[in-house]
Amino acid sequence: DGGITQSPKYLFRKEGQNVTLSCEQNLNHDAMYWYRQDPGQGLRLIYYSQIVNDFQKGDIAEGYSVSREKKESFPLTVTSAQKNPTAFYLCASSIDPPHGTEAFFGQGTRLTVV
Amino acid sequence: KNEVEQSPQNLTAQEGEFITINCSYSVGISALHWLQQHPGGGIVSLFMLSSGKKKHGRLIATINIQEKHSSLHITASHPRDSAVYICAVRRGSQGNLIFGKGTKLSVKP
């Protein structure tokens, strides 16, 4: 079945360490997104990519980095520069207009930094 | 002011009740999504709307583009409907979504 796979579901890291969250999709979607969710807040956009080898910063990109070397994969690295990295991270993908606007989401990765 | 506002924030209902969750937005959009998030965290897309009304089982979503307002209705609610329901809009020229804060629904047996 087509879908988005995020791994791992839970991740624990020590403060000061970089950590990379995986996101893979087999939907042949051009666009992929990373969102962060904090309690009591809506999801906020970290980075997005509309094509391989290209990506743009979202609203809260500081302390994060991404790469898009393959259409299927859009890993997110949470660097030590991110001041409050503990959060729930969601990856999404879509076929951007004019082909369609349906969005698909992964199951999320809950990152805890201790 | 948030670009996407949902109401209510929290909603408790008895099994069988008719439920309405509202979403208002202040930007031009090309589509509006209703999403469901269960306690485990994963998000499922329920509806994508650009006009009118859509129905899937006991769920109905409507949108009024002129009034910049959408509603999600659940008929004959059931405890398994308990989840956070999130409204998100896609701005016209961009692919990323702007999210509301969500409505936490709890349906009691």
Side-chain angles (χ1 to χ4, degrees):
Chain A
D1 281 4
I4 299 179
T5 302
Q6 285 188 244
S7 61
K9 188 164 180 165
Y10 299 96
L11 190 54
F12 295 87
R13 276 295 182 269
K14 289 185 179 177
E15 197 171 337
Q17 288 183 332
N18 291 357
V19 59
T20 297
L21 282 58
S22 168
C23 178
E24 305 276 332
Q25 54 99 358
N26 59 4
L27 299 165
N28 201 34
H29 285 173
D30 289 312
M32 296 186 74
Y33 313 84
W34 273 106
Y35 296 95
R36 170 182 171 138
Q37 187 177 40
D38 294 284
Q41 295 198 41
L43 279 77
R44 293 179 290 167
L45 181 66
I46 304 172
Y47 267 99
Y48 66 102
S49 167
Q50 295 189 319
I51 196 168
V52 174
N53 292 323
D54 188 49
F55 47 82
Q56 282 78 42
K57 292 182 179 180
D59 301 318
I60 54 165
E62 186 175 345
Y64 299 98
S65 66
V66 294
S67 63
R68 188 86 187 275
E69 296 175 4
K70 299 186 297 181
K71 189 175 187 179
E72 304 79 25
S73 179
F74 190 41
L76 173 75
T77 297
V78 184
T79 74
S80 56
Q82 168 49 234
K83 291 182 172 45
N84 296 299
T86 294
F88 186 66
Y89 292 87
L90 273 160
C91 179
S93 72
S94 69
I95 302 174
D96 267 346
H99 306 291
T101 55
E102 186 75 42
F104 294 82
F105 291 84
Q107 291 299 303
T109 294
R110 189 166 299 279
L111 172 65
T112 302
V113 174
V114 296
Chain B
K1 189 181 190 303
N2 293 332
E3 291 169 299
V4 180
E5 295 274 4
Q6 284 185 240
S7 63
Q9 263 187 296
N10 294 283
L11 182 55
T12 300
Q14 286 298 127
E15 184 172 356
E17 285 184 0
F18 180 83
I19 288 162
T20 296
I21 299 170
N22 295 299
C23 175
S24 296
Y25 54 92
S26 58
V27 295
I29 68 169
S30 60
L32 181 143
H33 297 252
W34 280 104
L35 310 167
Q36 181 189 56
Q37 186 173 32
H38 278 284
I43 287 181
V44 174
S45 179
L46 298 175
F47 295 104
M48 182 187 67
L49 294 161
S50 54
S51 64
K53 176 179 171 179
K54 285 190 175 180
K55 184 176 190 291
H56 181 69
R58 296 180 293 106
L59 301 178
I60 303 166
T62 64
I63 188 168
N64 185 319
I65 297 294
Q66 286 73 31
E67 294 187 4
K68 292 191 164 84
H69 182 268
S70 176
S71 293
L72 176 69
H73 305 287
I74 304 175
T75 62
S77 60
H78 190 275
R80 64 174 175 265
D81 296 325
S82 299
V84 176
Y85 291 85
I86 300 170
C87 172
V89 301
R90 181 186 298 274
R91 285 189 280 201
S93 61
Q94 300 177 21
N96 53 294
L97 297 172
I98 308 170
F99 294 81
K101 293 184 180 180
T103 295
K104 186 173 181 180
L105 171 65
S106 177
V107 181
K108 307 291 186 191

